Amino acid sequence: MISLVTLYDEAELGPRLQSWLASKDIACHCLAAEIHAFPDGEIRVRVPEPVSETVVLICTLDHPSEKTLALTFVSDVLRSMGAKRIWLAAPYLAYMRQDIAFHPGEGISAASYARLLSRSVDAMVTVDPHLHRIPDLEDVYTIPSTALHATDIIGDWLKDRLPGKSLLIGPDRESEQWVTAVAARCGQPFRVLDKERLGDRQVVIQVPDLSAEGLQTVVLVDDMVSTGQTLMKVARALRSQGIKDIRAVFVHALFGPETAAEMHDAGIGELVSCNTVAHPTNGIDVTIMMGEWVQQQLQA
Ligand code: R5P
């Protein structure tokens, strides 16, 4: 018997994972860790039922400043209740983009965050972390850490949804790994653009003239969307070239409703994400991938 303990599980991965594991005859129970917020902003966490020696702690790590503290506290409670193995299932892993000191004196948050999490749990699984200048999670995490990839399920999802002549576009060099794999899976051509980031909301992207290519649909593919500026920049350029059907598919949705509206105004007709972070754009389910990882851990 294993315990699935959920924390901030808005995407309801916990119950879905429980059903999938049950379908594989893996006995597990699922419970939600409770968080009480005191008036002064401190929190108290509680695990309301006994747990097994093996615990899968499910907590996706958008809004990490709030969630990471609770995760650390819950992990301590689980250990005090007898948990011997705590495996963190964090479909979105924060801080991976800050993988270098861009300016003197800046912190390398990816490494600091890795040290912090590595002290709280015994293994970790995540989906498409932003591995760029850090090639492997275990270069910074000192616990066994697995990066699963959603590119196959994204490619499969796209396969029957692209009418006529289509092109996939990765908006920057960092997206190359995702767009290449998705394009191979769904059998569509792709291009990767060059982006220069000047600030949090300011990017410059070289968009080639595609107006003569007779494209029916362009799909922008990226690992994450935050301010939406990257995708909007490309979409506006494509729209000015007369391309009407512009869509975006990405793994992690980190934006609010106002940004979604802005992206639609910029010409992106459809926005679809994986359910690594609970979001209205969720359309592609990562539960099976996560379940298979748990299954493999148990067999190891
Ligand atoms: C960065 O390289 C990532 O792959 C995304 O392109 C980036 O984080 C998107 O950010 P935003 O939506 O704020 O432009």
Side-chain angles (χ1 to χ4, degrees):
M1 171 72 87
I2 63 170
S3 300
L4 306 182
V5 176
T6 63
L7 186 60
Y8 300 104
D9 188 26
E10 298 95 343
E12 299 190 335
L13 183 61
R16 278 204 305 276
L17 205 51
Q18 183 182 25
S19 308
W20 189 85
L21 292 169
S23 76
K24 303 291 170 202
D25 294 325
I26 297 171
C28 59
H29 71 132
C30 185
L31 58 135
E34 299 165 1
I35 300 166
H36 173 75
F38 291 103
D40 58 14
E42 293 187 2
I43 57 167
R44 178 189 63 214
V45 301
R46 178 170 179 257
V47 177
E49 293 169 40
V51 293
S52 309
E53 290 194 345
T54 300
V55 173
V56 181
L57 177 54
I58 297 164
C59 181
T60 204
L61 289 166
D62 59 314
H63 299 101
S65 304
E66 176 189 354
K67 291 182 170 183
T68 308
L69 192 63
L71 185 154
T72 308
F73 291 173
V74 167
S75 166
D76 282 349
V77 177
L78 292 169
R79 299 236 189 255
S80 74
M81 294 171 85
K84 301 247 184 311
R85 287 164 294 278
I86 303 177
W87 301 336
L88 173 63
Y92 172 66
L93 180 61
Y95 283 115
M96 290 304 293
R97 283 168 296 178
Q98 295 170 44
D99 54 2
I100 192 174
F102 293 96
H103 304 99
E106 273 181 7
I108 303 175
S109 311
S112 300
Y113 195 63
R115 280 194 289 278
L116 190 67
L117 284 190
S118 296
R119 283 199 287 266
S120 286
V121 297
D122 303 305
M124 179 183 66
V125 65
T126 187
V127 180
D128 285 309
H130 191 83
L131 292 170
H132 182 48
R133 280 160 290 243
I134 295 170
D136 193 307
L137 277 179
E138 291 181 6
D139 291 340
V140 283
Y141 281 81
T142 55
I143 49 173
S145 302
T146 305
L148 302 174
H149 300 290
T151 45
D152 280 358
I153 55 175
I154 293 175
D156 289 344
W157 186 88
L158 276 173
K159 228 171 237 165
D160 303 321
R161 290 179 165 86
L162 296 176
K165 192 171 177 195
S166 303
L167 179 70
L168 272 50
I169 289 184
D172 51 29
R173 291 285 144 199
E174 289 159 78
S175 66
E176 185 164 7
Q177 53 184 303
W178 288 281
V179 72
T180 310
V182 171
R185 185 75 175 195
C186 66
Q188 296 290 341
F190 71 94
R191 287 211 190 189
V192 180
L193 309 184
D194 281 310
K195 174 174 88 177
E196 189 187 353
R197 185 173 282 284
L198 306 177
D200 289 346
R201 293 176 181 275
Q202 218 185 337
V203 291
V204 178
I205 303 179
Q206 308 304 327
V207 183
D209 185 358
L210 302 171
S211 53
E213 298 204 7
L215 293 172
Q216 198 161 336
T217 305
V218 172
V219 183
L220 311 178
V221 178
D222 211 348
D223 60 332
M224 66 182 77
V225 179
S226 172
T227 66
Q229 294 298 327
T230 299
L231 297 191
M232 284 191 267
K233 193 60 118 186
V234 182
R236 288 193 189 106
L238 295 174
R239 194 174 53 177
S240 73
Q241 295 176 16
I243 296 169
K244 291 195 175 53
D245 185 1
I246 305 168
R247 311 174 188 183
V249 183
F250 37 92
V251 184
H252 312 292
L254 305 175
F255 55 93
E258 284 173 14
T259 301
E262 275 181 69
M263 286 199 281
H264 286 305
D265 289 347
I268 307 175
E270 185 181 42
L271 296 161
V272 177
S273 64
C274 297
N275 57 352
T276 54
V277 174
H279 198 268
T281 58
N282 289 166
I284 302 170
D285 189 5
V286 299
T287 307
I288 295 177
M289 295 165 51
M290 304 292 283
E292 286 172 347
W293 179 84
V294 173
Q295 194 176 29
Q296 283 160 15
Q297 289 288 110
L298 292 168
Q299 286 161 357

